[in-house]
Amino acid sequence: TLVLPAGFRFHHGQVIAPFTIVYETFGELDAARSNAILVCHALSPGAHAAGKYAADDPKPGWWDGLIGFDKGIDLARWFVVCVNFPGSPWGTTAPQTTDPETQTPYGSRYPWVTVEDMVESQRLVADHLGIDQFAAIAGSSLGGMEVLMWTALHPQRTRSIICMAAAAAVPVASVAWHLIGRKLIQADPAFNGGDYYDRKDNLRGLELARMVGHMTYLSEQAMERKFGR
């Protein structure tokens, strides 16, 4: 963990203090600190990109097929960093985190998170580890958009990028589907405006929104296999 006593300043100006950023590393950083690869996670995973914590874990990290010894990103050569970005529930200070001033979760008071915020959290970890330049920055989906934002904000800090299943902007049709997903979540009484952490209700609105979102990821061929007559 990287603890920021003075807090984290969000892109829109809000500050949460103190603020904790969770990250994981894989492999060994060389003496010149030149063999580091930053892996950016997408919407639902966290910093656990590869391997298992214990042999009986049900499954390994979300990119285990790519990161490991004798794999695409070979840990015999590369040092991998994956940072859990702000707002995610996997350890970094997030809406479910208890506000030390109120002793209740931040919930609806948590700032809106931007891709710039995600990149800033990764930059802070890179500085903490003494990595001035990455050999590569890699990611897919929302992670790929983080990769593109890195090139826009800090082009001198990477020698190459690996951007998969991402774009510089979301197509307008996706914006419309995302709006519908948000409305489904907000219309669910159990959501309670974002302050639902002390409730036991099933967040059915979130489940429906995720179903709608998943539809936008499918190709025509996948749609036919899943729903075809």
Side-chain angles (χ1 to χ4, degrees):
T1 58
L2 171 60
V3 179
L4 307 173
F8 180 86
R9 179 172 294 277
F10 287 79
H11 181 64
H12 292 305
Q14 306 97 323
V15 176
I16 287 183
F19 196 91
T20 299
I21 300 173
V22 167
Y23 65 96
E24 289 193 25
T25 66
F26 312 83
E28 294 187 17
L29 187 61
D30 64 21
R33 301 183 182 275
S34 63
N35 69 329
I37 293 177
L38 175 67
V39 167
C40 305
H41 72 80
L43 181 64
S44 54
H48 186 46
K52 293 184 175 183
Y53 297 127
D56 58 353
D57 284 354
K59 58 183 179 179
W62 57 273
W63 238 7
D64 189 73
L66 185 64
I67 301 168
F69 292 97
D70 297 322
K71 296 181 180 180
I73 300 178
D74 191 346
L75 295 182
R77 178 182 181 187
W78 303 109
F79 175 76
V80 173
V81 182
C82 188
V83 179
N84 183 220
F85 59 58
S88 164
W90 300 110
T92 292
T93 300
Q96 70 175 4
T97 303
T98 299
D99 180 348
E101 292 187 4
T102 66
Q103 294 303 307
T104 60
Y106 284 105
S108 62
R109 295 176 292 112
Y110 195 85
W112 283 52
V113 181
T114 67
V115 177
E116 288 91 339
D117 293 323
M118 300 170 190
V119 168
E120 178 62 9
S121 68
Q122 295 159 352
R123 183 196 68 79
L124 289 168
V125 171
D127 289 352
H128 172 66
L129 296 174
I131 300 170
D132 295 327
Q133 187 183 67
F134 288 103
I137 300 177
S140 63
S141 190
L142 176 58
M145 289 186 161
E146 296 161 46
V147 171
L148 295 177
M149 187 60 75
W150 263 96
T151 67
L153 297 179
H154 310 291
Q156 75 284 0
R157 297 199 65 167
T158 185
R159 300 197 295 274
S160 61
I161 64 170
I162 306 169
C163 176
M164 293 177 277
V170 175
V172 66
S174 294
V175 174
W177 284 115
H178 294 164
L179 173 63
I180 293 171
R182 281 204 308 279
K183 294 298 184 182
L184 285 169
I185 294 171
Q186 293 169 334
D188 182 356
F191 180 61
N192 194 37
D195 297 309
Y196 53 84
Y197 291 102
D198 60 345
R199 299 187 173 206
K200 303 299 183 182
D201 305 296
N202 184 35
L203 292 174
R204 183 59 177 163
L206 179 60
E207 293 176 351
L208 292 171
R210 188 61 176 160
M211 290 168 67
V212 170
H214 186 70
M215 295 297 295
T216 67
Y217 308 154
L218 299 179
S219 66
E220 289 293 330
Q221 294 82 1
M223 292 275 281
E224 182 64 32
R225 287 195 300 271
K226 193 173 183 68
F227 299 108
R229 299 179 185 88

